[in-house]
Amino acid sequence: MKWSIQIVSPATHTTSATSVLVHFDKGRYLFNCGEGVQRLSFENKLRLSRLGNIFLTRVHWEAMGGLPGMLLTLADGGTQNLRVSGGPNLAHALAATRHFILRGNMGVSANEMRSPNDVFQDDNLKVRAVHVYPAHYTPRAQELAIDESNDMQIRHQLIARAFGKPQAEQQTGRRKTPLVQQKKGYYKKCSGGEIEQRLADEPGQKRARSPEQRTRHISETSLPAATPTEAALCYICEGPEVPGKFDVKAAQALGLRPGPLYGRLQRGETVEGPNGPIRPEQCVGATRPGRVFAIIECPSPAYIESVTNNQQLLALQGSERLLVVVHALGAGVATDARYRQWAGGFAKHVQHMVSAPEVVPDGNPFQRHLRVQAAMAAVDPLAYVLPMSSGTAELPLDAFLQGKNVVRAQSLLRFEVEPRPRLVTDDVPELRTPEAMLASAQAGTLYAGEPNDEAPTTSPTEVQGRESGLVVCPIGTGSSVPSIYRNVSANILDVPGYGGVVLDCGESTVAQLKRFLGHQRLNPHNRRIPKTFEQFVQSLRLLYISHMHADHHLGAILLLHEWARLSEPSKRLTVLAPARFHAWLNDFAGVQPLGLERIDFIDCQDARIDGRSSAARALLGQAKAALGLTELATCGVVHCPWAYGLAMTHQSGWRLVYSGDTRPCKSLVDLGRRTPVTVLLHEATHSDDLLEDAIAKRHTTVSEAVAMAVAMQAENLLMTHFSQRCLALPRWSAPAICSASVPRLGPLVDGPAPVDYEGTQELLGNLNIASAFDMSAYGPADIARYRKNAAKLRQVLRNEIRALAAEEAEDVDEEDPKSPPKKTTANKLQK
Ligand SMILES: [Zn+2]
């Protein structure tokens, strides 16, 4: 018997939910799945494939923001069954995701734990939920009892229709062969985060309804209204009993020879020996009850009384079997004397793991991205912004709780519960600060053995004042699933004198923004947007969502929550998005208030250049006035139903066109050609050699994106939304640009292709091209500078892939030197 608990993500100012993973030989249990948990588990090589159960301490986006993305990844990876347990409104929250998740191959069940008697139990764990509430809050009667109403049945039915039906209990976990491998047979997977193309439920069967018809159908079935709850759940978890030791000598003394009778005795049966019956206790030691750990969720000081006065939790404090307590605390709790005094009441042997924003330093867990960014910032400190983080905690650990058994929660910190209780700190990564990384990059020591050719080519003051006012900041530049180098889609603009714009908002955009802009104080490395995260959110005027794929909008709930919290009550926000996004927000507002009453919602369909409704015209007018725009218009693009491109023109003269996800298409060229385009922000998901993939998944290749810019006569092209399979700088070629075409429009570029790479410039005329990296800032001058720096940036990425390969080779050696070489990330990126 071996099991342990491990911190996946501690609570910091940047990401506030504490996530804990429990490892058993057969199965993993995740407590909380906030935004970024998936990316963190890639960064830290935590395998989540055997996950069969997820528990939430709160049905709140902070604790479950990473869950929809995780569900998509688990379903695509072959997980057959997943049970999600949590408090009231859990079924509502899961049913609400039907607007963009459709995964018939994975059974998902929502287990709402409502009363203190609700207990989850399987072979490994017995989990008891303890409900706590803020001081001013009285739970409604229906929050405390099992809900078998008609409304609840509708919610469960919607979950069962968006996912498959849960299979028999014992099958929880992973199927042997991921369904996606049977590509041609009956199931076709689009890139992650996108709706699958399911050809049939079973091999040989014909598909009755297209996936699109199915989501439309489910999306249009309305969800009964729900009211947000403030319940939070603490969990007391008990591991399996440990059987007593078998005493071979005693058995032999009783005349028993080794054989099946030993097993039967061990299982508690009385057996017939040579001299009469033998009872198990004659040769088996006493069974030891299971060991216990607890997760104490206290989201804010308002919950402290409820936690500290709870009888179940008070009883727990004296328990001999309790070995570990994870204190999952919101801001203001660790510094409160009432909580600290209560936390001091546990038995001496208990190990405390403290996860609280004041206690855990706000380090940057994405160290590989930070390394690349530091190397790039050494080349061009204006375009490549070092994300901000802090290496020191506000509150010393012993000010929270004194004793030798108190540690800060850190990613990968582990406590082995069985067989030998002990704290394991070996795997906790060292988090280097951005300043240290940059200093190494400038000294040429960031990458061992590489030439130091990263001397800055741009002085920070060089470009100031030369900009047209348009600076596009890609915050996430990867497609489908977040990776260690690229988070999923998000871009921001700050329109000086007016306010902020967010163009698509993938998971973890809020955390990325806090690192990019600085949280509470300005990021000193960001010379382009003179606003902190809080100031930017307060100034937000427009949120645009191009289409309903999860990698483009899962960060929006938290952003809207922060906007509702931080902005003045008189301020309004325009959300320009497909109608289904509005439906999703309306459903989710039953779980958590999002300030929807202050939001002006415009359906992208109504903002199309070729047909807008009069109601939309008035709202569009207001949105334009709020940002000083003379144009704000969409067009349909070729990707999934209700996918849109966007054009916006500012009265100061700049014009931005954003593609969203699309194949090269006539409507976007037409939208772009109307007046000169300062920057075309265009997806370039696939490299040119993967044109077939691009066609199948309705994306654009690099050369096609260039051809779109040429066709639109754009002045600058900024490419983004890159496949996570590629880290190299994108390459385009004249022949591929010339052969790019659009149905009904024909070739995007006139005339024959120049022969060589150098000749491409002749074809491109004055078009400047740059490829976006996460947390960067590009005005026209930065894009123009990119060509000059391209060779150095290319070298940085080559160094990074080499460094990653070296790290991964080391890992392989440590695990099992004789094992065959594994498929590593570096390997994949090199291709
Ligand atoms: Zn998409």
Side-chain angles (χ1 to χ4, degrees):
M1 166 62 63
K2 204 171 141 187
W3 65 281
S4 61
I5 73 169
Q6 187 167 36
I7 302 288
V8 179
S9 161
T12 64
H13 285 301
T14 306
T15 48
S16 40
T18 306
S19 283
V20 175
L21 186 64
V22 183
H23 300 253
F24 280 90
D25 287 341
K26 289 180 184 163
R28 305 261 189 284
Y29 302 76
L30 182 66
F31 288 79
N32 283 344
C33 189
E35 290 192 17
V37 160
Q38 212 180 151
R39 190 174 178 209
L40 257 179
S41 61
F42 295 144
E43 176 80 20
N44 290 327
K45 302 194 183 78
L46 273 176
R47 293 211 189 98
L48 296 174
S49 54
R50 255 180 267 165
L51 199 60
N53 279 284
I54 295 179
F55 294 84
L56 302 178
T57 56
R58 296 167 78 198
V59 182
H60 189 284
W61 198 257
E62 267 183 15
M64 61 167 291
L67 185 60
M70 182 72 83
L71 292 177
L72 288 163
T73 303
L74 289 174
D76 294 346
T79 294
Q80 230 171 348
N81 271 322
L82 190 80
R83 191 192 294 103
V84 185
S85 302
N89 281 345
L90 175 66
H92 184 92
L94 284 176
T97 65
R98 76 196 182 288
H99 294 294
F100 54 90
I101 296 186
L102 186 70
R103 285 295 186 274
N105 60 315
M106 180 170 78
V108 171
S109 56
N111 173 32
E112 290 197 2
M113 301 175 93
R114 285 167 172 255
S115 78
N117 302 324
D118 274 358
V119 174
F120 161 93
Q121 185 158 18
D122 68 2
D123 293 346
N124 295 322
L125 275 184
K126 186 174 176 183
V127 181
R128 199 182 301 276
V130 177
H131 298 69
V132 291
Y133 303 94
H136 57 85
Y137 185 82
T138 314
R140 286 163 283 130
Q142 63 264 41
E143 285 183 46
L144 301 170
I146 293 170
D147 185 349
E148 285 172 337
S149 66
N150 214 11
D151 283 358
M152 188 53 90
Q153 282 170 26
I154 294 173
R155 293 184 185 112
H156 284 295
Q157 279 162 13
L158 283 171
I159 297 171
R161 280 163 61 193
F163 299 94
K165 286 213 172 58
Q167 316 281 315
E169 287 300 306
Q170 64 269 26
Q171 290 174 350
T172 294
R174 194 178 160 84
R175 78 172 76 228
K176 280 189 192 119
T177 332
L179 198 52
V180 286
Q181 289 185 357
Q182 304 166 18
K183 217 171 178 174
K184 287 201 175 119
Y186 55 94
Y187 180 92
K188 193 171 165 191
K189 184 190 157 214
C190 293
S191 64
E194 302 193 355
I195 290 165
E196 72 199 28
Q197 288 181 11
R198 219 158 55 103
L199 307 178
D201 286 329
E202 296 297 334
Q205 216 179 40
K206 282 227 169 102
R207 193 179 66 194
R209 216 186 245 159
S210 75
E212 191 40 53
Q213 284 168 324
R214 256 183 87 210
T215 44
R216 189 179 310 187
H217 190 66
I218 300 176
S219 190
E220 283 167 6
T221 309
S222 61
L223 191 56
T227 311
T229 168
E230 295 188 35
L233 274 64
C234 302
Y235 288 108
I236 302 174
C237 312
E238 183 181 333
E241 289 182 336
V242 179
K245 262 200 163 160
F246 191 85
D247 188 339
V248 178
K249 277 184 187 156
Q252 282 171 348
L254 290 163
L256 278 188
R257 288 211 205 112
L261 292 182
Y262 278 26
R264 287 177 55 194
L265 279 165
Q266 182 100 54
R267 287 194 294 273
E269 296 172 31
T270 299
V271 301
E272 199 58 40
N275 312 312
I278 302 173
R279 293 185 313 279
E281 57 271 27
Q282 288 179 271
C283 34
V284 183
T287 300
R288 179 162 54 74
R291 289 173 168 156
V292 175
F293 73 91
I295 296 175
I296 306 296
E297 168 77 29
C298 190
S300 77
Y303 289 77
I304 292 177
E305 294 290 323
S306 182
V307 170
T308 57
N309 293 328
N310 185 285
Q311 290 305 315
Q312 273 177 287
L313 297 180
L314 282 172
L316 185 72
Q317 291 199 315
S319 165
E320 273 302 306
R321 290 199 281 142
L322 175 74
L323 296 193
V324 190
V325 174
V326 179
H327 298 273
L329 311 181
V333 178
T335 49
D336 193 302
R338 293 171 298 165
Y339 189 88
R340 293 204 305 258
Q341 194 188 357
W342 177 82
F346 285 90
K348 278 248 157 20
H349 68 273
V350 169
Q351 174 70 56
H352 296 266
M353 293 182 174
V354 189
S355 175
E358 298 88 353
V359 175
V360 182
D362 212 348
N364 186 334
F366 303 111
Q367 290 277 300
R368 297 184 185 92
H369 169 262
L370 180 60
R371 182 166 62 190
V372 177
Q373 196 75 350
M376 288 187 165
V379 176
D380 185 341
L382 268 176
Y384 301 96
V385 175
L386 274 185
M388 190 163 99
S389 62
S390 154
T392 51
E394 290 156 34
L395 187 71
L397 195 57
D398 57 3
F400 173 75
L401 196 61
Q402 290 191 340
K404 59 178 172 30
N405 292 340
V406 186
V407 286
R408 286 193 179 92
Q410 286 169 284
S411 289
L412 298 189
L413 179 70
R414 197 159 64 84
F415 188 90
E416 185 180 293
V417 183
E418 297 280 5
R420 189 163 67 87
R422 65 191 176 111
L423 191 69
V424 185
T425 55
D426 309 358
D427 301 331
V428 176
E430 182 208 349
L431 301 186
R432 297 184 67 190
T433 62
E435 292 74 19
M437 285 275 199
L438 182 64
S440 302
Q442 286 165 339
T445 55
L446 193 56
Y447 296 107
E450 296 306 330
N452 176 18
D453 61 352
E454 287 142 11
T457 49
T458 315
S459 90
T461 50
E462 189 184 328
V463 182
Q464 308 278 349
R466 248 172 47 196
E467 294 290 353
S468 64
L470 173 64
V471 181
V472 183
C473 301
I475 299 300
T477 60
S479 65
S480 75
V481 181
S483 76
I484 55 178
Y485 293 108
R486 294 186 191 274
N487 200 42
V488 284
S489 288
N491 308 280
I492 66 165
L493 312 178
D494 177 44
V495 185
Y498 291 91
V501 176
V502 173
L503 303 177
D504 280 331
C505 190
E507 182 181 329
S508 286
T509 295
V510 162
Q512 294 275 92
L513 281 176
K514 285 181 180 172
R515 295 189 188 105
F516 182 68
L517 298 170
H519 168 60
Q520 306 286 14
R521 63 188 177 89
L522 277 178
N523 176 3
H525 307 289
N526 190 339
R527 299 177 181 91
R528 311 310 287 277
I529 299 188
K531 283 179 180 167
T532 61
F533 166 76
E534 288 76 12
Q535 289 164 338
F536 179 79
V537 171
Q538 281 159 1
S539 78
L540 192 62
R541 296 289 171 266
L542 173 67
L543 168 63
Y544 169 71
I545 302 294
S546 63
H547 64 295
M548 279 305 280
H549 284 158
D551 56 332
H552 288 254
H553 72 79
L554 279 180
I557 297 276
L558 197 54
L559 182 69
L560 291 175
H561 176 74
E562 291 286 18
W563 176 79
R565 187 175 71 84
L566 293 166
S567 63
E568 286 169 33
S570 62
K571 290 280 190 271
R572 299 192 70 80
L573 173 68
T574 301
V575 174
L576 176 57
R580 204 178 277 182
F581 183 72
H582 194 200
W584 153 240
L585 291 187
N586 273 332
D587 280 353
F588 201 79
V591 172
Q592 186 175 340
L594 298 171
L596 295 190
E597 61 286 352
R598 291 200 281 132
I599 286 179
D600 295 317
F601 190 88
I602 309 174
D603 183 351
C604 288
Q605 187 70 6
D606 292 335
R608 278 173 314 154
I609 200 84
D610 50 354
R612 39 182 67 176
S613 71
S614 51
R617 211 172 290 145
L619 287 177
L620 276 168
Q622 285 172 25
K624 286 196 292 192
L627 284 162
L629 300 177
T630 54
E631 179 199 28
L632 181 63
T634 64
C635 69
V637 293
V638 180
H639 183 56
C640 61
W642 307 294
Y644 300 88
L646 177 78
M648 51 202 288
T649 305
H650 193 258
Q651 58 197 32
S652 65
W654 58 256
R655 184 159 189 259
L656 173 73
V657 172
Y658 173 44
S659 66
D661 284 4
T662 184
R663 283 291 299 148
C665 63
K666 182 176 183 303
S667 53
L668 194 67
V669 176
D670 289 346
L671 182 69
R673 265 184 185 160
R674 292 161 58 89
T675 44
V677 177
T678 318
V679 173
L680 168 64
L681 177 62
H682 203 290
E683 72 128 297
T685 308
H686 296 288
S687 50
D688 284 1
D689 56 323
L690 296 174
L691 177 62
E692 273 181 31
D693 283 21
I695 293 169
K697 295 167 185 172
R698 298 191 170 188
H699 283 301
T700 301
T701 65
V702 171
S703 288
E704 285 174 335
V706 176
M708 286 292 284
V710 174
M712 257 179 237
Q713 293 159 357
E715 292 163 24
N716 299 283
L717 167 66
L718 181 58
M719 289 188 276
T720 187
H721 197 271
F722 296 106
S723 160
Q724 306 285 16
R725 281 184 289 180
C726 182
L727 186 65
L729 284 199
R731 282 182 186 275
W732 48 92
S733 79
I737 295 169
C738 290
S739 64
S741 71
V742 164
R744 291 187 291 126
L745 188 67
L748 287 166
V749 176
D750 296 328
V755 229
D756 57 0
Y757 181 78
E758 281 307 310
T760 317
Q761 199 56 38
E762 175 190 319
L763 170 75
L764 302 182
N766 291 327
L767 173 68
N768 291 309
I769 304 175
S771 80
F773 225 76
D774 283 25
M775 310 231 184
S776 304
Y778 303 90
D782 307 284
I783 298 175
R785 214 166 50 238
Y786 175 86
R787 195 175 150 76
K788 194 170 84 178
N789 289 330
K792 286 181 179 177
L793 298 174
R794 207 177 287 286
Q795 185 59 42
V796 167
L797 296 176
R798 249 184 246 133
N799 291 348
E800 177 59 33
I801 292 173
R802 214 171 292 150
L804 181 68
E807 279 169 29
E808 290 184 329
E810 239 169 62
D811 286 351
V812 171
D813 286 346
E814 276 170 23
E815 277 169 26
D816 178 8
K818 279 180 222 139
S819 70
K822 289 181 185 163
K823 273 192 216 162
T824 60
T825 312
N827 236 326
K828 281 186 231 156
L829 289 172
Q830 263 158 346
K831 280 175 193 161

